[in-house]
């Protein structure tokens, strides 16, 4: 074999002779092209060349050159790093190698130089008389893919072909593990009994040749062939009477008898070597799996959290079983949620799903190990797409299933009974480790959540307004738990979700989206929780039919729990995220804990609001009762006042009649005597005094009679302002002589009232006289009229306000009693306000007084319209 330095020297000499820009020696191994040696091609250009050779079209073009044994050339892509117009290929006979030359053009002489170089580089292939044996010293026996590529290469070198593949038997299937110019074939599993050609090879243990046009041409086990392919041959690899694999080749022209004989001879000598390689591979795999327990103790047991445990466990199982189709399902402590751990593109992906309806629910319930040899034959649907065999091992802690470990393979019969026993042992240790770690994580997570919940509760405890509770709690939940969106909806007294709080970075987005729309969708997640009271966790809304998006807002993850007081639903807490798998089981537990505390706060707020409503009603009742009692007291006082007036009137009438006759006699005789008495009589002065006092006494008697009898009622519709103006005209001189400033404020738009004009004039005269008597040193007098409305009724108010001495509170309660006067020795009879009171009440009105000593008094006469 040529050394690497010797190969590079030969490439250099040939390049200089042919004036080539660069040259490399490439070899196809395991379906991929590798550069064995190069001359004048830098690393960047080498990488570009390898990328071009890896494309299916170029790979097929190169394989065609190798299988045909002739040189080829093609144009290079423009703008690349190869810096040549063309690439020339010269196959190395008897190998999977070729010399690739970069040049703008190679003359026929230059091409003959390269063909000679390729012939000099050809190594010594296996002699037809010598069996193909793996090179144990080079480690080939321990590299199954490379060894099988070498085996298939021997067939391709023996007979030119368009493509080929080699399949190893595994149970009742043939797995294609090496290919030549058929990259899509590698990894395909072919069930033997389902294909008539393979079934025939398995039973006859003889080669089968199929020519285009024959009935079985459409039944070729792997039918991705070129349109020009006309012949296909399948050669069995047999040990004793046992089929261990097959080799298939195809090409455009028929295989001659000599070529078929050569292929048969090779297929008879290859099986022992293949058996050794496969056995070595299985032994190595067995030893790797034996070391799995030790690796588990060293690596997995030292993990700090569940993610580390899953990641390290997946790494160990991938190396031991040569598959990445691994899944770990862990059930939550309450049994409602299943955590799904899987590796995607080298990264651990974790999602939470509900146990109900999941494919692992039956496995958790039964708790037994399952080993599926061939899912297509057994009708079993695997966890991963394309899985053919499966090993399902429940994780049990203290006899109770806590999770499931699933290992799958794209090949049938990938797992043995020994693998099953090994995984049961590992699963028992894994279950205890996971349970301990999970309990610790859940305890830490719940402690952290309870701390945050405590912070939220501290802010809302004691609040009595449910709107305030919802708004503050939603904002704090989003802030403390770092949620994108938190919504708290509470029922109002009409059992409608009108009380809401929205918090989070997307709060404004949702508020805009909710314009004219309801947050709770009857058929959605929120509607289900609001109706049933059962919590819901959705980690992928795209896969969950319950989720109903709101126009302008669409989440990918959601947690919704009910705020309940016993069986009574008071509201809901809903948190959402635009990221998939954003919430864990701890988030669900935290929101349920918060919902329980909020239920107490809301219930207290409801009771407080009910108590406040009761207090408000009691206060309204108290006010109404007090008003009624005051009205009743006023009515009783008026009735008492009327009774007093009636009694005084009767008494006054009797006294007036008794006194009127003698006073009339005294007055009459006094007038007669005065007429007869001379002007200079010494008794004239005394007699005039007698006449004056008799007349004054007659005036008192007349007023008593006026007080005692109502007289005739002559009510007419009149303008109260005319009454005021008439009285003011009569008293203006008196007002001015008392040094009092008069102010009139009369509303010109007053409606007319039904009154006795003379009686109403008497009322105003009495009030003005009292006001003037209270202002001995002069003062201010205001007489005004204005409309008013009281107790759904229209009134006319006549007001007389003075700046006099005022009336004490004690005297105000007796001011309208007959014969009660505050004038003392100023000559008051105590009948003026009593007569006024009688006239006003007779008109259906009221008279009110407000007065303070030394600040004056105000009398208001209220007359109904």
């Amino acid at each position: 074999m040529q050394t690497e330095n010797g190969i590079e020297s030969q490439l250099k000499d040939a390049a200089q002779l042919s004036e080539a820009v660069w040259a490399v020696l490439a070899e196809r191994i395991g379906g991929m092209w590798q550069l064995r040696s190069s001359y004048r091609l830098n690393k960047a250009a080498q990488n570009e060349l390898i990328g071009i050779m890896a494309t299916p079209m170029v790979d097929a073009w190169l394989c065609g050159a190798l299988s045909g044994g002739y040189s080829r050339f093609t144009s290079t892509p423009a703008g690349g790093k190869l810096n040549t117009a063309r690439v020339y290929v010269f196959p190395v006979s008897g190998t999977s190698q070729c010399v690739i030359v970069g040049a703008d053009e190679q003359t026929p002489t230059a091409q003959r130089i390269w063909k000679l170089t390729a012939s000099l580089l050809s190594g010594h292939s296996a002699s037809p008389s010598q069996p193909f044996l793996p090179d144990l010293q080079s480690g080939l026996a321990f590299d199954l893919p490379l060894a099988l590529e070498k085996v298939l290469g021997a067939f391709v070198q023996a007979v030119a072909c368009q493509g080929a593949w080699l399949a190893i038997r595994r149970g009742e299937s043939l797995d294609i593990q090496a290919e030549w110019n058929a990259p899509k074939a590698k990894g395909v599993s072919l069930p033997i009994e389902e294909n008539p050609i393979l079934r025939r090879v398995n039973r006859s243990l003889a080669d089968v040749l199929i020519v285009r046009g024959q009935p079985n041409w459409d039944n070729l086990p792997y039918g991705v062939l070129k349109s020009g392919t006309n012949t296909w041959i399948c050669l069995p690899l047999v040990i004793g009477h046992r089929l261990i694999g097959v080799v298939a080749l195809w090409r455009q022209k028929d295989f001659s008898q000599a070529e078929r004989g050569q292929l048969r001879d090779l297929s008879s000598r290859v099986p022992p070597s293949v058996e050794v390689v496969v056995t070595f591979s299985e032994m190595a795999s067995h030893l790797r799996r034996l070391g799995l327990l030790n690796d588990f103790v060293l690596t997995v047991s030292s993990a700090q959290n569940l993610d580390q445990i899953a990641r390290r466990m997946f790494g160990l199982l991938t190396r031991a079983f040569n598959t990445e189709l691994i899944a770990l399902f862990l059930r939550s402590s309450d049994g409602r949620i299943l955590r799904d751990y899987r590796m995607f593109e080298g990264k651990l992906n974790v999602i939470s799903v509900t146990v109900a309806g999941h494919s692992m629910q039956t496995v958790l319930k039964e708790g037994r190990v399952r080993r599926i040899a061939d899912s297509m034959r057994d009708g079993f649907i695997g966890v991963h797409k394309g899985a053919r065999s499966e090993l399902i091992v429940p994780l049990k802690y203290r006899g109770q299933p806590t999770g499931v470990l699933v290992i799958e393979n794209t090949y049938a019969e990938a797992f043995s009974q020994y693998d099953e026993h090994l995984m049961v042992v590992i699963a028992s240790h894994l279950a205890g480790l996971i349970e301990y770690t999970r309990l610790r994580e859940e305890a830490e997570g719940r402690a952290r959540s309870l701390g945050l919940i405590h912070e939220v509760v501290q802010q809302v405890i004691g609040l009595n307004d449910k709107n305030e509770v919802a708004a503050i709690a939603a904002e704090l939940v989003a802030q403390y738990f770092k949620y994108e969106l938190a919504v708290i909806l509470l029922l109002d007294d009409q059992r409608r979700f009108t009380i809401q709080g929205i918090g989070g970075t997307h709060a404004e987005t949702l508020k805009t989206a909710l314009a004219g729309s309801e947050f709770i969708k009857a058929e959605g997640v929120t509607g289900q929780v609001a109706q049933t009271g059962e919590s819901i966790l959705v980690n992928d809304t795209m896969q969950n039919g319950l989720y109903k998006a709101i126009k302008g807002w669409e989440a990918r993850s959601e947690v919704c729990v009910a705020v309940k007081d016993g069986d009574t639903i008071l509201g809901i807490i809903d948190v959402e995220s635009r990221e998939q798998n954003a919430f864990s089981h701890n988030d669900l537990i935290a929101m349920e804990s918060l919902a329980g505390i909020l239920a107490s706060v809301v219930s207290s707020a409801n009771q407080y609001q009910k108590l406040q409503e009761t207090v408000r009603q009691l206060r309204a009742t108290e006010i109404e009762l007090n008003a009624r009692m005051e009205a009743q007291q006023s009515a009783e006082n008026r009735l008492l006042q009327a009774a007093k007036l009636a009694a005084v009137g009767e008494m006054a009438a009797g006294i007036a009649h008794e006194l009127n006759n003698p006073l009339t006699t005294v007055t009459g005789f006094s007038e007669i005597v005065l007429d007869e008495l001379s002007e200079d009589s010494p008794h004239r002065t005394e007699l005039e005094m007698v006449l004056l006092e008799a007349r004054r006494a007659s005036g008192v008697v007349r007023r008593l009679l006026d007080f005692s009898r109502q007289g005739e009622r002559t009510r007419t519709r009149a303008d109260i302002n005319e009454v005021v103006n008439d009285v003011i005209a009569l008293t203006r001189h008196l007002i001015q002589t008392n040094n009092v400033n008069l102010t009139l404020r009369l509303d010109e738009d007053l409606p007319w009232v039904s009154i006795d004009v003379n009686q109403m004039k008497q009322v105003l005269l009495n009030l003005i006289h009292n006001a003037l008597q209270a202002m001995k040193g002069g003062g201010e007098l205001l007489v005004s009229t204005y409309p008013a409305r009281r107790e759904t009724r229209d009134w006319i108010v006549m007001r007389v306000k003075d700046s006099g001495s005022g009336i004490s509170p004690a005297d105000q309660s007796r001011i309208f009693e007959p014969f009660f006067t505050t004038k003392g020795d100023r000559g008051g009879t105590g009948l003026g306000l009593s007569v006024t009171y009688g006239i006003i009440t007779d008109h259906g009105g009221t008279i009110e007084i407000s007065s303070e000593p030394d600040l004056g008094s105000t009398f208001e006469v209220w007359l109904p319209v």
Side-chain angles (χ1 to χ4, degrees):
M1 296 291 293
Q2 299 281 351
T3 64
E4 185 173 340
N5 290 334
I7 295 173
E8 185 176 351
S9 178
Q10 290 182 346
L11 293 177
K12 177 181 178 181
D13 294 340
Q16 291 177 347
L17 290 172
S18 64
E19 298 182 352
V21 178
W22 52 263
V24 298
L25 177 65
E27 182 177 10
R28 193 174 191 271
I29 301 176
M32 300 296 294
W33 287 94
Q34 299 180 11
L35 301 185
R36 291 302 183 190
S37 183
S38 67
Y39 170 69
R40 293 180 65 183
L41 192 64
N42 59 36
K43 192 65 176 178
Q46 290 180 26
N47 292 335
E48 182 178 333
L49 180 61
I50 292 173
I52 294 173
M53 297 165 67
T55 59
M57 183 179 297
V58 176
D59 179 49
W61 183 73
L62 293 172
C63 288
L66 289 178
S67 61
Y70 49 83
S71 60
R72 290 181 170 182
F73 71 89
T74 186
S75 301
T76 57
K81 301 182 186 306
L82 298 180
N83 297 324
T84 59
R86 293 182 179 180
V87 170
Y88 294 80
V89 177
F90 302 93
V92 178
S93 177
T95 68
S96 298
Q97 300 176 344
C98 64
V99 176
I100 303 177
V101 179
D104 291 335
E105 187 174 358
Q106 291 283 278
T107 64
T109 302
Q111 293 185 37
R112 284 195 294 271
I113 292 173
W114 284 112
K115 289 178 182 179
L116 177 61
T117 302
S119 65
L120 293 175
L121 291 174
S122 62
H124 298 285
S125 60
S127 172
S129 62
Q130 297 294 328
F132 174 83
L133 293 175
D135 183 0
L136 300 181
Q137 297 299 322
S138 66
L140 182 62
F142 301 98
D143 191 341
L144 180 62
L146 182 58
L148 295 180
E149 287 282 348
K150 291 288 186 180
V151 172
L152 183 60
F155 282 88
V156 173
Q157 294 166 17
V159 176
C161 62
Q162 289 179 326
W165 49 257
L166 185 152
I168 299 299
R169 182 168 186 173
R170 189 185 299 272
E172 297 302 318
S173 299
L174 288 167
D175 298 336
I176 300 178
Q177 297 192 16
E179 52 80 25
W180 172 261
N181 200 20
K184 294 183 179 180
K186 192 170 185 178
V188 175
S189 183
L190 306 173
I192 296 175
E193 292 300 320
E194 293 182 7
N195 186 276
I197 299 174
L198 297 180
R199 187 166 60 243
R200 175 180 168 184
V201 172
N202 182 44
R203 293 176 181 177
S204 64
L205 301 179
D207 60 281
V208 174
L209 179 67
I210 307 295
V211 179
R212 183 182 291 274
Q214 291 183 349
N216 275 333
W217 181 260
D218 294 332
N219 294 324
L220 295 181
Y222 183 73
V224 182
L225 305 177
K226 294 183 178 180
S227 59
T229 303
N230 295 313
T231 306
W232 184 90
I233 189 170
C234 182
L235 303 160
L237 304 180
V238 181
I239 296 292
H241 295 285
R242 179 169 54 90
L243 180 71
I244 66 168
V246 298
V247 175
L249 302 92
W250 58 90
R251 69 182 189 183
Q252 188 172 7
K253 64 180 182 178
D254 295 340
F255 292 98
S256 65
Q257 290 297 327
E259 289 175 328
R260 291 185 65 179
Q262 189 177 0
L263 291 174
R264 286 170 183 164
D265 179 64
L266 189 57
S267 65
S268 66
R269 291 184 293 107
V270 162
S273 302
V274 173
E275 179 80 353
V276 171
V277 173
V278 172
T279 302
F280 265 99
S281 177
E282 290 180 350
M283 289 177 61
S285 177
H286 180 70
L287 290 174
R288 284 195 303 270
R289 295 177 187 181
L290 280 177
L292 186 60
L293 282 175
N294 184 56
D295 292 340
F296 176 81
V297 173
L298 293 176
T299 59
V300 178
S301 299
S302 62
Q304 299 298 315
N305 52 54
L306 291 179
D307 288 354
Q308 283 188 3
I309 291 175
R311 190 178 292 106
R312 294 181 181 182
M313 193 69 213
F314 285 178
L316 291 177
L317 295 178
T318 298
R319 292 193 299 271
F321 292 96
N322 195 29
T323 179
E324 294 185 351
L325 306 184
I326 305 171
L328 176 64
F329 300 93
L330 298 180
R331 187 165 61 178
S332 62
S333 55
D334 59 6
R336 295 183 298 170
I337 304 299
L338 207 59
R339 297 274 285 174
D340 184 347
Y341 294 80
R342 303 191 200 189
M343 295 294 292
F344 287 103
E345 299 179 354
K347 295 182 180 180
L348 182 66
N349 189 51
V350 186
I351 63 174
S352 296
V353 295
T354 56
V355 174
H358 196 274
S359 59
M360 292 295 113
Q361 185 178 15
T362 304
V363 178
L364 289 168
K365 184 177 181 180
E366 295 177 352
R368 63 182 181 88
V369 181
R370 293 184 182 182
R371 179 161 55 92
I372 312 300
D374 190 342
S375 59
M376 294 180 64
R377 182 186 63 203
D378 299 339
F380 190 85
I381 300 176
V383 174
H384 299 88
K385 186 178 180 181
R388 286 289 301 276
S389 55
E390 190 163 1
L391 187 58
I392 305 174
V393 185
L395 305 180
K396 294 184 179 181
Y397 182 72
R398 295 181 178 178
Q400 296 298 319
T402 60
V404 180
L405 180 62
V406 179
I407 308 175
E408 297 177 328
N409 203 305
T410 55
Y411 298 111
E413 304 286 349
F415 306 106
S416 65
Q417 188 174 7
Y418 172 78
D419 296 330
E420 180 181 329
H421 295 327
L422 176 64
M423 288 311 302
V424 169
V425 175
I426 291 177
S428 64
H429 292 286
L430 184 63
L433 177 62
I434 287 176
E435 189 65 20
Y436 169 76
T437 306
R438 180 170 60 184
L439 290 175
R440 177 171 55 80
E441 283 189 356
E442 287 186 356
E444 292 174 353
R446 291 183 182 181
R448 193 162 49 248
S449 297
L450 286 176
L452 297 176
I453 291 173
H454 176 72
E455 295 293 331
V456 176
V457 172
Q458 287 293 100
Q459 301 293 328
V460 300
I461 197 73
L463 296 178
N464 298 314
D465 185 350
K466 290 193 290 184
N467 289 282
E468 193 175 1
V469 170
I472 294 177
E475 189 62 42
L476 293 177
V477 166
Q479 177 183 345
Y480 291 153
F481 286 88
K482 310 299 182 185
Y483 292 153
E484 293 180 56
L485 181 69
V487 180
I488 296 180
L489 297 178
L490 301 176
L491 289 167
D492 58 16
D493 295 336
Q494 284 73 42
R495 304 294 296 172
R496 296 179 300 176
F497 285 97
T498 60
I499 303 171
Q500 68 179 19
I502 304 176
T505 55
H506 293 291
E508 293 302 321
T509 302
L510 181 64
K511 290 177 182 178
T512 303
L514 282 179
S517 175
E518 293 290 337
F519 182 77
I520 292 185
K521 304 295 184 182
E523 302 301 325
V525 173
T526 52
Q528 289 292 314
V529 174
Q531 293 173 12
T532 64
E534 297 294 329
S535 303
I536 294 179
L537 168 63
V538 179
N539 266 304
D540 188 357
T541 57
M542 302 292 290
Q543 305 297 325
N544 192 298
L546 273 180
Y547 178 77
K548 306 297 181 185
I550 297 175
K551 186 178 181 181
W553 167 258
E554 185 169 357
R556 290 299 304 276
S557 305
E558 182 177 13
V559 173
C560 190
V561 301
V563 179
K564 297 190 294 184
D565 184 11
D567 293 331
T568 303
I569 297 176
L570 305 176
I572 64 169
I573 301 176
D574 186 79
V575 294
E576 299 183 8
S577 172
R578 284 186 168 175
E579 298 293 330
Q580 185 178 344
N581 304 317
F583 305 115
S584 66
H585 183 249
N586 276 345
D587 292 299
L588 178 64
I589 296 297
M591 290 303 101
E592 288 180 337
S593 301
L594 178 61
I597 298 174
L598 278 184
S600 300
V601 175
V602 172
S603 297
S604 299
N606 285 338
Q607 293 175 0
Y608 178 80
Q609 289 179 354
K610 290 180 180 178
L611 180 61
Q612 288 292 95
E613 179 63 21
T614 302
V615 170
R616 188 189 65 77
Q617 292 177 357
L618 288 175
R619 286 178 178 173
T621 303
E622 179 186 11
I623 293 172
E624 183 180 358
L625 181 61
N626 288 336
R628 290 183 179 181
M629 290 176 63
E630 290 178 359
Q632 183 176 358
Q633 184 68 34
S634 177
E636 290 176 354
N637 290 337
R638 292 178 183 178
L639 184 60
L640 179 61
Q641 185 74 8
K644 288 180 180 181
L645 292 176
V648 171
E650 292 178 1
M651 181 183 66
I655 294 173
H657 282 294
E658 291 295 330
L659 294 177
N660 190 46
N661 291 333
L663 286 174
T664 301
T665 302
V666 170
T667 301
F669 282 107
S670 295
E671 290 176 347
I672 294 173
V673 172
L674 281 174
D675 289 340
E676 295 177 354
L677 196 64
S678 63
E679 294 292 334
D680 57 352
S681 173
H683 301 290
R684 188 174 185 83
T685 301
E686 288 84 355
L687 191 60
E688 287 177 350
M689 183 178 297
V690 170
L691 179 60
L692 179 63
E693 291 299 323
R695 287 178 177 173
R696 188 176 69 82
S698 296
V700 172
V701 170
R702 186 176 64 255
R703 283 195 292 273
L704 281 174
L705 288 175
D706 291 340
F707 175 74
S708 62
R709 61 173 180 261
Q710 297 296 328
E712 288 188 28
R713 295 183 180 179
T714 56
R715 300 282 180 87
T716 59
R717 287 175 53 80
D719 184 358
I720 195 69
N721 288 339
E722 292 184 3
V723 174
V724 173
N725 288 326
D726 290 346
V727 173
I728 292 300
L730 294 174
T731 60
R732 187 177 297 277
H733 178 72
L734 182 62
I735 293 172
Q736 292 176 351
T737 57
N738 281 274
N739 198 25
V740 172
N741 293 325
L742 173 65
T743 302
L744 283 179
R745 294 179 183 170
L746 306 180
D747 193 314
E748 299 298 333
D749 297 325
L750 291 178
W752 286 15
V753 290
S754 177
I755 57 174
D756 186 318
V757 174
N758 291 327
Q759 287 185 338
M760 204 54 58
K761 288 181 180 180
Q762 183 179 352
V763 167
L764 186 55
L765 279 171
N766 288 341
L767 294 177
I768 291 177
H769 283 155
N770 287 343
L772 294 176
Q773 291 173 2
M775 296 184 290
K776 289 299 183 181
E780 298 290 335
L781 178 64
L782 170 66
V783 179
S784 61
T785 58
Y786 60 90
R789 186 171 181 81
R790 179 189 290 177
E791 298 177 356
T792 69
R793 190 171 183 182
D794 293 326
W795 301 77
I796 295 299
V797 181
M798 181 172 59
R799 176 186 293 174
V800 177
K801 182 179 180 181
D802 65 65
S803 59
S805 57
I807 304 172
S808 67
D811 292 340
Q812 289 181 28
S813 61
R814 302 182 59 196
I815 197 68
F816 297 111
E817 293 181 3
F819 305 112
F820 178 81
T821 180
T822 60
K823 299 175 183 177
D825 56 357
R826 290 176 289 174
T829 62
L831 293 175
L833 288 179
S834 295
V835 172
T836 298
Y837 181 87
I839 293 172
I840 297 304
T841 54
D842 187 53
H843 280 75
T846 61
I847 183 169
E848 298 175 358
I849 179 175
S850 61
S851 179
E852 293 184 30
D854 301 325
L855 295 178
S857 304
T858 299
F859 286 86
E860 289 185 346
V861 176
W862 289 66
L863 297 173
V865 176

